[in-house]
Amino acid sequence: ELASHQGFFARVLGRTPRLAGVLLAFGTMGDHALAVRDFAEAERIIRGNFTSAVSILTLCANHLLASGGGFLIALTSVAGERGRQSNYLYGAAKGGLDIFLQGLRNRCHAGGVRVITIRPGFLDTAMTYGLPGLFLVASPEYAARKIVGALRRPGDIRYVPWFWRPIMLVIRLIPEVLFKRMR
């Protein structure tokens, strides 16, 4: 509902005397098997994970910059670091969001707005419930504690749980000639 974002944000600002920061934590896995055949589903995945996030984060960043500072925290995904055949549309949208956050962080730094990227692995949520092959699943409560902790510590990018950082390093280092043969 991109057209509703401006009004939604205005209503939020009408209810709070000062906005200290924003946590963006939404996304949709979508139906990848359908999306590779039907662009309407692909567009829904991209809009639900990238376009809508860029829309609302831009409004929030502009407000925080005009107000003299604050923070933006947004959840991307480890799926955005390497395109996998099983969910490359979701991964591409989250990867795009990750790159957007890098640029937004660069834009906002001098204005006193901290932009933190959270790259979660598998979290035990409605989005992942029942998906085959999940491992190393973290609870939403654990993730919430780590997200709040990221605000208290220096650094721009956090993996939740932490062990996804070395896992993703290894995955990124696999040569493309081998990676494309892997499932």
Side-chain angles (χ1 to χ4, degrees), residues 105-179:
R105 183 170 21 260
N106 187 267
R107 174 185 169 222
C108 291
H109 177 74
V113 177
R114 185 168 176 210
V115 178
I116 301 171
T117 301
I118 304 293
R119 292 179 181 158
F122 301 122
L123 300 179
D124 186 15
T125 65
M127 188 172 84
T128 59
Y129 180 78
L131 291 178
L134 294 187
F135 61 98
L136 304 174
V137 179
S139 73
E141 295 80 13
Y142 171 86
R145 286 192 305 275
K146 294 303 178 183
I147 291 166
V148 170
L151 192 55
R152 295 185 182 125
R153 295 181 18 206
D156 300 322
I157 299 169
R158 290 278 187 271
Y159 287 80
V160 175
W162 67 269
F163 51 73
W164 280 99
R165 180 182 292 275
I167 290 171
M168 293 314 299
L169 174 63
V170 169
I171 289 173
R172 285 192 313 272
L173 291 174
I174 298 170
E176 187 73 17
V177 70
L178 298 176
F179 191 76

Side-chain angles (χ1 to χ4, degrees), residues 8-28:
F8 164 75
F9 193 59
R11 286 190 303 278
V12 168
L13 293 176
R15 293 180 181 170
T16 183
R18 182 181 178 282
L19 186 64
V22 173
L23 168 64
L24 182 128
F26 64 76
T28 179

Side-chain angles (χ1 to χ4, degrees), residues 40-86:
E41 178 65 6
E43 183 178 38
R44 191 178 78 74
I45 292 169
I46 293 164
R47 183 179 289 250
N49 292 294
F50 177 69
T51 313
S52 59
V54 169
S55 171
I56 198 72
L57 285 170
T58 299
L59 292 169
C60 296
N62 291 341
H63 174 79
L64 291 171
L65 286 167
S67 299
F71 68 87
L72 295 168
I73 300 175
L75 276 64
T76 62
S77 173
V78 295
E81 292 193 60
R82 189 90 195 243
R84 293 176 29 239
Q85 61 180 293
S86 62

